[in-house]
Amino acid sequence: MSKTFYLTTPIYYVNDKPHIGHAYTTILADVLARFHRNAGQETFFLTGLDEHGQKVQQAAEDRGIEPLQHCDEMAPRFIDLWEKLHISYDDFIRTTENRHKIIVQMFLQKVYDAGDIYEDEYEGLYSVSEERFITEKEAESDEFRDIKKLKEKNYFFKMGKYQDALIDHIKSNPKFIQPEHRKNEILGFLRQPLNDLCVSRPKSRLNWGIELPFDKEYVTYVWFDALINYITSPGFGKDHESFDKWWPVSYHLIGKDILTTHAVYWPTMLMSADIELPQSIFAHGWWLMGESKMSKSIGNVINPMDLIDDYGVDPVRYYLMREMVLGQDSNFTMESFIQRYNSDLANDFGNLLSRISTLMKKNYDGRIPDPGELSEAELRIKTEGESLCSTVDGMIKNMRLNEAIENTMQYIRSVNKYMEENAPWKLVKEDKSAAGKILYTAGEALRLGAVLLSPVMPHRTSILLDAFNAPGADLSWGGLKPGATLKDHEPLFPRVK
Ligand code: MSP
């Protein structure tokens, strides 16, 4: 295990209204960060906002205000949502911050000095409505208006020069692009010659961006600017000690929609600037709504705020993590959300706590009973719990999150079964110490389950651990202290309709 763990989300377009897709990547990063912190690894989790470019400039113009004011007014929509979702980021970066502009310019100058940026005149079809160059094929569709031939001087990054080096790197580092099918997609893309990348926009057309250090008439192409956030935050060019500590990043978490920019543009940019490449770029699939992509125009976008208000934060986090196989698309339906909530959370998990704590309160003076000498059935629960902890750890490290959660829930179900089979509510009338042993074992198993699920549901599991008077993330058997007083707690997961 390397000493430090650094992971990032994409920086989201400040103009977008946050939806379940943005929430998903950010929760995923948060869950991973919390797992690694619990495992004692020093962790740095970065998220933020992408604030330059045409769309922001346009939106601000439409509102008759300055672009920065527009960004300042839009940013809290994300920040507030992350607070509501209990996102434990360590840094939140906005590309309009000075600390970032300085680094983008330093980076550009470095690449320019290395001879990897050249000036060229580009002639092509330009869509005035979209404010960008389009291909012949795009021009044939009816999506673009006001098309004209345009000749424009711009700056280009010699991306093509790094094609072979990139292919070699991908082939010799199997974890560089994950999952496997995404790696193959990029290798397929790299079978065609790789074009150079236009990294400038003339100010006559767009001025909401970071000025090129070597030509004041131009601003930086928004993707070139945005990707650099990943090194700005840990201190590139400013705090060497910190940068060396965190870089290369452990994971760039992204959606599959932005794979090329991350797996082709970004590594070639880093090669040119002589900076180590990321350890891994992990692309997850999309949340779909009944087979189609969530989109504003179809009007099927799920608003995470509504779900949180209706069901609480942790059930939303749980559903998103449990339901998606990392790397594949997944369908979001309210029916499956409600079903997961009731069966996994209310029936299996929440009920187990209320059963145990009710019996302890009624028969043991509201205290944790003594486990005594463990017999076979109890030892089995203990051994299963211990092996579950190492299974979950391995699965998390291999990004098999939904399986880690399912394994934990299976354990909880087996503890429920153990309770049914041994019926401590009956036994307590004849043999209080035997019943106490069962309750202790079930309670301790539930505590382990709660610690394992705490990165996914930090709030509700903390209520559970608090009720048992056993805070902390200790995964060794025996965290429940005999004699400790139980605390009153609200129902963990009341059933919903
Ligand atoms: N600003 C760029 C990223 C720059 S990173 C240097 C951008 N922003 S975005 O606001 O469009 O966010 C894209 C990300 O949102 C995706 O990569 C993905 O993480 C997430 N999702 C957006 N829609 C999604 C779904 N329907 N499902 C799952 N995640 C999705 O692109």
Side-chain angles (χ1 to χ4, degrees):
M1 182 166 91
S2 84
K3 239 177 63 232
T4 58
F5 185 75
Y6 170 30
L7 89 167
T8 66
T9 72
I11 47 171
Y12 306 107
Y13 289 126
V14 68
N15 247 359
D16 279 0
K17 190 164 178 234
H19 59 65
I20 205 86
H22 304 119
Y24 173 70
T25 317
T26 314
I27 293 171
L28 173 62
D30 187 59
V31 169
L32 290 170
R34 287 174 187 268
F35 263 114
H36 284 264
R37 286 190 202 113
N38 278 0
Q41 212 173 3
E42 224 185 324
T43 298
F44 186 63
F45 163 21
L46 171 69
T47 188
L49 295 174
D50 190 353
E51 304 197 329
H52 289 124
Q54 187 65 46
K55 292 219 169 91
V56 174
Q57 179 171 304
Q58 190 62 52
E61 249 167 51
D62 292 347
R63 297 180 63 207
I65 57 175
E66 287 302 312
L68 187 57
Q69 187 189 342
H70 176 70
C71 294
D72 287 345
E73 286 175 18
M74 295 291 123
R77 297 185 307 175
F78 283 92
I79 296 169
D80 293 348
L81 177 60
W82 301 157
E83 198 183 318
K84 265 198 139 175
L85 282 169
H86 300 148
I87 303 300
S88 61
Y89 55 77
D90 296 294
D91 190 10
F92 189 91
I93 192 165
R94 298 177 53 189
T95 53
T96 46
E97 287 172 83
N98 246 336
R99 60 164 170 164
H100 178 65
K101 291 189 211 167
I102 294 166
I103 301 304
V104 170
Q105 291 186 328
M106 186 191 287
F107 192 99
L108 277 162
Q109 192 64 50
K110 214 173 164 193
V111 174
Y112 186 78
D113 292 344
D116 280 348
I117 287 179
Y118 62 93
E119 206 182 323
D120 199 6
E121 195 151 50
Y122 181 78
E123 186 170 12
L125 296 171
Y126 182 80
S127 157
V128 179
S129 65
E130 285 291 302
E131 304 249 10
R132 70 171 174 94
F133 283 99
I134 55 172
T135 62
E136 301 260 342
K137 207 167 162 201
E138 283 178 318
E140 283 163 18
S141 71
D142 356 295
E143 282 165 46
F144 300 91
R145 286 170 294 113
D146 304 335
I147 301 169
K148 59 182 183 186
K149 256 211 164 117
L150 193 76
K151 219 180 194 180
E152 196 174 83
K153 208 184 78 176
N154 264 308
Y155 288 89
F156 292 82
F157 164 53
K158 289 185 184 168
M159 193 157 72
K161 176 175 157 185
Y162 295 98
Q163 177 161 12
D164 291 341
L166 178 59
I167 294 172
D168 283 349
H169 186 85
I170 296 173
K171 287 187 173 160
S172 49
N173 293 277
K175 297 225 150 162
F176 181 57
I177 302 173
Q178 295 184 65
E180 181 87 9
H181 63 280
R182 296 288 165 218
K183 174 179 96 178
N184 295 334
E185 187 182 310
I186 291 295
L187 284 173
F189 173 80
L190 288 170
R191 261 180 232 123
Q192 307 294 325
L194 183 60
N195 291 330
D196 289 346
L197 182 69
C198 178
V199 295
S200 64
R201 296 292 184 266
K203 280 194 183 165
S204 53
R205 190 145 71 72
L206 170 75
N207 59 36
W208 185 235
I210 299 174
E211 199 170 82
L212 295 186
F214 41 81
D215 191 336
K216 304 215 168 319
E217 297 306 310
Y218 290 83
V219 296
T220 312
Y221 169 46
V222 66
W223 266 104
F224 202 92
D225 153 0
L227 287 160
I228 292 172
N229 91 87
Y230 298 136
I231 58 171
T232 301
S233 169
F236 174 75
K238 193 174 145 207
D239 182 344
H240 297 293
E241 206 181 307
S242 160
F243 188 66
D244 289 347
K245 175 173 176 184
W246 299 111
W247 195 261
V249 65
S250 314
Y251 283 103
H252 286 316
L253 294 178
I254 56 167
K256 63 179 182 178
D257 47 330
I258 52 176
L259 182 62
T260 314
T261 46
H262 281 80
V264 179
Y265 296 10
W266 181 225
T268 54
M269 285 164 64
L270 290 167
M271 281 178 184
S272 170
D274 200 19
I275 300 171
E276 246 185 288
L277 303 196
Q279 295 179 49
S280 187
I281 297 159
F282 194 104
H284 65 70
W286 272 337
W287 279 100
L288 306 173
M289 293 288 295
E291 309 307 321
S292 58
K293 200 192 163 196
M294 261 182 237
S295 102
K296 271 180 259 171
S297 50
I298 310 177
N300 61 355
V301 180
I302 295 252
N303 182 350
M305 288 285 194
D306 296 345
L307 280 181
I308 300 170
D309 289 343
D310 292 348
Y311 304 99
V313 181
D314 283 354
V316 176
R317 293 173 58 113
Y318 179 82
Y319 176 82
L320 293 177
M321 295 302 111
R322 170 62 188 83
E323 216 45 35
M324 185 175 265
V325 178
L326 260 170
Q328 293 171 20
D329 289 348
S330 213
N331 240 305
F332 191 106
T333 66
M334 274 321 286
E335 293 77 43
S336 68
F337 178 83
I338 304 280
Q339 147 113 46
R340 276 261 170 251
Y341 180 103
N342 282 333
S343 70
D344 294 12
L345 300 180
N347 279 1
D348 295 340
F349 199 73
N351 257 351
L352 185 55
L353 172 64
S354 56
R355 268 173 145 182
I356 296 171
S357 68
T358 309
L359 285 169
M360 287 183 181
K361 276 181 193 148
K362 202 166 140 204
N363 302 294
Y364 298 86
D365 237 2
R367 291 173 190 275
I368 309 273
D370 208 300
E373 188 84 0
L374 299 190
S375 46
E376 206 182 311
E378 286 70 40
L379 280 173
R380 186 174 47 82
I381 299 270
K382 175 174 182 267
T383 318
E384 276 175 15
E386 283 161 349
S387 89
L388 174 72
C389 294
S390 72
T391 309
V392 165
D393 186 63
M395 285 176 168
I396 298 298
K397 289 189 178 130
N398 286 302
M399 300 294 254
R400 287 159 57 193
L401 235 88
N402 66 315
E403 290 172 64
I405 296 171
E406 180 48 23
N407 272 269
T408 309
M409 289 315 290
Q410 261 168 25
Y411 182 60
I412 297 294
R413 284 192 282 273
S414 78
V415 179
N416 271 315
K417 204 164 149 235
Y418 162 79
M419 287 280 283
E420 290 295 332
E421 285 167 359
N422 292 284
W425 46 90
K426 280 190 203 143
L427 191 60
V428 72
K429 292 171 200 141
E430 303 141 29
D431 187 342
K432 210 169 155 184
S433 90
K437 175 178 5 187
I438 293 159
L439 287 177
Y440 180 91
T441 307
E444 175 61 9
L446 179 59
R447 187 195 68 84
L448 276 191
V451 172
L452 289 174
L453 288 173
S454 64
V456 181
M457 300 188 286
H459 178 58
R460 304 282 172 113
T461 54
S462 78
I463 296 178
L464 186 153
L465 295 171
D466 193 49
F468 278 148
N469 211 338
D474 193 352
L475 281 175
S476 36
W477 186 267
L480 287 193
K481 298 294 169 231
T485 313
L486 294 180
K487 292 191 194 154
D488 285 335
H489 63 91
E490 53 190 281
L492 267 199
F493 299 106
R495 277 185 78 85
V496 295
K497 289 214 179 94

